Amino acid sequence: MEEYGSDFITITDEDGKEYELEILQQLEYQGKTYMAVVPAVSYEEAEEELEVSLLRSDEEDGEPILSAITDNEELEAVYALMMEALYADDEEDEDAE
């Protein structure tokens, strides 16, 4: 996983294809790191609303890998925490104005 600064990462899938993702939110939950990401395209290029993906960061052979969350209870808990964090960030932005 290559880092392009604080908000963008590049991942490579099992077929060797690279994808650039924008990190919207990152949080810790039960000792693991989770990220809410969208494909990194300019909003002018986006033909439709971008789909947000929730991914878990695991370590394999000392290397960080991102995986889909397959457990429904884990997904629901992480989704709720992500929404809470994203809305808290929005409220802080509004308070700063």
Side-chain angles (χ1 to χ4, degrees), residues 10-48:
T10 297
I11 62 170
T12 306
D13 68 11
E14 54 275 349
D15 297 326
K17 185 172 182 185
E18 289 189 350
Y19 298 91
E20 189 174 353
L21 302 174
E22 180 178 359
I23 301 171
L24 300 177
Q25 186 72 33
Q26 185 171 322
L27 60 82
E28 297 286 324
Y29 173 67
Q30 296 187 339
K32 298 220 180 251
T33 301
Y34 296 87
M35 296 179 200
V37 299
V38 293
V41 296
S42 70
Y43 293 104
E44 294 81 33
E45 291 176 31
E47 294 176 15
E48 54 193 63

Side-chain angles (χ1 to χ4, degrees), residues 43-90:
Y43 293 104
E44 294 81 33
E45 291 176 31
E47 294 176 15
E48 54 193 63
E49 193 171 321
L50 296 175
E51 185 174 317
V52 175
S53 298
L54 295 179
L55 301 173
R56 180 180 59 233
S57 180
D58 294 312
E59 264 197 37
E60 191 172 285
D61 300 326
E63 292 288 318
I65 61 165
L66 296 176
S67 357
I69 303 169
T70 55
D71 179 88
N72 281 339
E73 287 181 27
E74 179 184 13
L75 182 61
E76 288 175 15
V78 170
Y79 177 81
L81 290 169
M82 285 288 184
M83 291 299 105
E84 187 177 302
L86 286 169
Y87 285 118
D89 287 349
D90 284 349

